[in-house]
Amino acid sequence: MVKVDIISGFLGAGKTTLIKELLGDALKGQQIVLIENEFGEIGIDGGFLKDAGIEIREMPSGVGKLSDVIHAVERVKDEAGVVVNSATTVVDVLKCGMYMKNFGEFFRNQVESAGTIILSRMDTDKAARDTDKVSDALKMIRELNPTAVVITTPVSVLGGKKVLDTMENGAVDLEKLEPVHEHHHDHAHDHEDHDHEHEDHDHEHHHDHDHDHEHDHDDHDHDHDDHDHDKHDHCHHHHHADEVFDSWGRETPKKFTEEKIRGILKELSDSAEYGTVLRAKGMVEGEDGRWIYFDMVPEEADVRSGEPEFTGRICVIGAKLNGQKLEQLFGLDED
């Protein structure tokens, strides 16, 4: 029987970081298949993982919410010989209030469906200063899911083996899951070399060995108080991610400087003229020949050097995105 671990979480919550930790420690040396259902026109996370030495293969699936992925695995457990081993949601402790306010339908589903909840950003100076925000986040999570195992110690401190052991102890209550609501959208990517499944909604991963794991990621982050996409009470509506979130992506040979990329990311974070930008990520060639990898959620950006890719790729995810303005911002309207 193949054991499947599912990892979910909003955009930029820390799913890829968690997977790297698990693969580098708890699952080191095992043959892994990584399946990622990534939200966005251009596949980016596969490149980030490849840059870390993880090979990936893509395959569409079309699931959206954490509960959907759990149900999907349950439906095929007998014929496929798989079983849900764990379902984990990664939550940015500094942004979960925004998730609930703006995208409550999706955030609630991730938290309520999880057997284990991992709070990320607990090791940041911001979390140390804003203890009230951390307390409010824990209270909100406990109200949504009083039985889940909640990990507040940073993953880098616990180590992959301890995290995986804890994930496996978090029981998933199948009877309390939201019922399946059919949709017909395909956004997924299958990655092989172990068995993990990631989605910029949900990720699964499987191992070969009496122990096969899947990870399910629900990738939708938000950090703007002035946009309330959940005001219609999504508890009474059932939406697929494509009905709420937009993505804009381009492949480009255009060369950039690190300063230019940082300026673009700041503009995306500060200005509303591009729509509600929840995440921007990509890899582009630098004018000096080095490749620039970037990853941004509102108010936070990571820009670093990476391995060369077959072409530059850029992806922006959010709500009501203005594609023309994004083309202009990245200078792609000149191509």
Side-chain angles (χ1 to χ4, degrees):
M1 183 67 74
V2 174
K3 295 182 179 179
V4 176
D5 295 292
I6 305 171
I7 298 177
S8 182
F10 268 48
L11 297 162
K15 299 176 301 295
T16 300
T17 300
L18 171 61
I19 289 168
K20 286 181 180 179
E21 187 72 33
L22 294 175
L23 293 177
D25 184 9
L27 307 172
K28 190 173 183 179
Q30 297 187 35
Q31 184 179 6
I32 304 293
V33 175
L34 185 62
I35 304 170
E36 177 169 13
N37 188 7
E38 179 171 8
F39 185 86
E41 295 182 12
I42 303 293
I44 299 293
D45 285 351
F48 287 168
L49 290 166
K50 183 179 178 181
D51 192 49
I54 302 165
E55 293 296 327
I56 292 186
R57 206 160 51 82
E58 297 182 351
M59 177 188 77
S61 76
V63 288
K65 294 179 179 178
L66 175 54
S67 59
D68 291 343
V69 180
I70 296 172
H71 283 306
V73 175
E74 284 293 309
R75 281 198 302 268
V76 301
K77 65 180 181 181
D78 293 330
E79 56 266 44
V82 298
V83 64
V84 174
N85 185 54
S86 67
T88 300
T89 293
V90 183
V91 174
D92 184 333
V93 71
L94 299 174
K95 294 187 172 72
C96 66
M98 297 303 123
Y99 300 161
M100 177 58 78
K101 176 179 172 61
N102 295 282
F103 301 102
E105 175 186 4
F106 295 94
F107 181 71
R108 274 195 300 269
N109 184 273
Q110 289 181 19
V111 174
E112 291 173 347
S113 303
T116 301
I117 296 167
I118 298 177
L119 295 188
S120 63
R121 308 287 193 271
M122 287 291 290
D123 54 350
T124 62
D125 291 340
K126 200 169 181 181
R129 291 193 304 268
D130 200 343
T131 55
D132 287 344
K133 180 170 280 192
V134 172
S135 297
D136 290 344
L138 280 167
K139 181 180 178 181
M140 180 186 300
I141 287 168
R142 276 301 178 211
E143 287 175 350
L144 292 172
N145 191 334
T147 61
V149 175
V150 179
I151 297 177
T152 59
T153 303
V155 169
S156 59
V157 174
L158 277 183
K161 290 180 181 178
K162 180 67 174 178
V163 171
L164 185 57
D165 287 344
T166 305
M167 287 165 52
E168 291 178 330
N169 288 327
V172 178
D173 190 341
L174 298 176
E175 294 183 359
K176 292 183 179 180
L177 291 182
E178 178 182 318
V180 175
H181 300 281
E182 295 300 326
H183 46 70
H184 305 283
H185 303 273
D186 285 321
H187 284 299
H189 305 282
D190 174 293
H191 308 198
E192 270 193 30
D193 214 359
H194 196 100
D195 210 351
H196 296 254
E197 198 177 308
H198 305 183
E199 293 189 23
D200 251 354
H201 310 301
D202 295 304
H203 298 219
E204 297 175 25
H205 101 294
H206 327 277
H207 328 220
D208 249 336
H209 190 147
D210 288 345
H211 228 112
D212 274 328
H213 300 355
E214 269 188 45
H215 296 291
D216 183 355
H217 299 198
D218 242 318
D219 235 319
H220 306 297
D221 271 340
H222 190 62
D223 202 15
H224 300 310
D225 273 315
D226 54 345
H227 300 284
D228 191 349
H229 295 280
D230 198 46
K231 62 177 65 175
H232 303 297
D233 186 5
H234 288 253
C235 277
H236 303 294
H237 298 79
H238 304 287
H239 298 88
H240 184 255
D242 289 356
E243 299 173 314
V244 177
F245 303 97
D246 297 331
S247 74
W248 173 90
R250 294 292 183 272
E251 293 185 343
T252 178
K254 184 180 178 68
K255 296 181 180 181
F256 295 80
T257 63
E258 182 176 324
E259 181 182 12
K260 176 67 173 176
I261 289 295
R262 289 188 183 278
I264 289 172
L265 298 183
K266 186 176 189 305
E267 178 72 6
L268 289 175
S269 182
D270 293 347
S271 174
E273 69 175 301
Y274 308 97
T276 303
V277 176
L278 308 179
R279 193 176 189 190
K281 52 187 176 178
M283 58 276 289
V284 293
E285 186 175 359
E287 290 184 357
D288 60 1
R290 293 183 297 178
W291 277 71
I292 303 167
Y293 281 50
F294 62 90
D295 197 338
M296 163 254 169
V297 294
E299 300 181 6
E300 295 179 41
D302 176 39
V303 181
R304 62 193 184 278
S305 297
E307 293 296 318
E309 270 292 334
F310 64 86
T311 191
R313 286 177 283 169
I314 300 167
C315 183
V316 178
I317 302 172
K320 298 181 180 179
L321 297 180
N322 187 323
Q324 184 178 6
K325 290 284 189 181
L326 290 169
E327 290 266 358
Q328 294 171 357
L329 180 63
F330 282 93
L332 303 183
D333 57 328
E334 305 165 0
D335 293 349

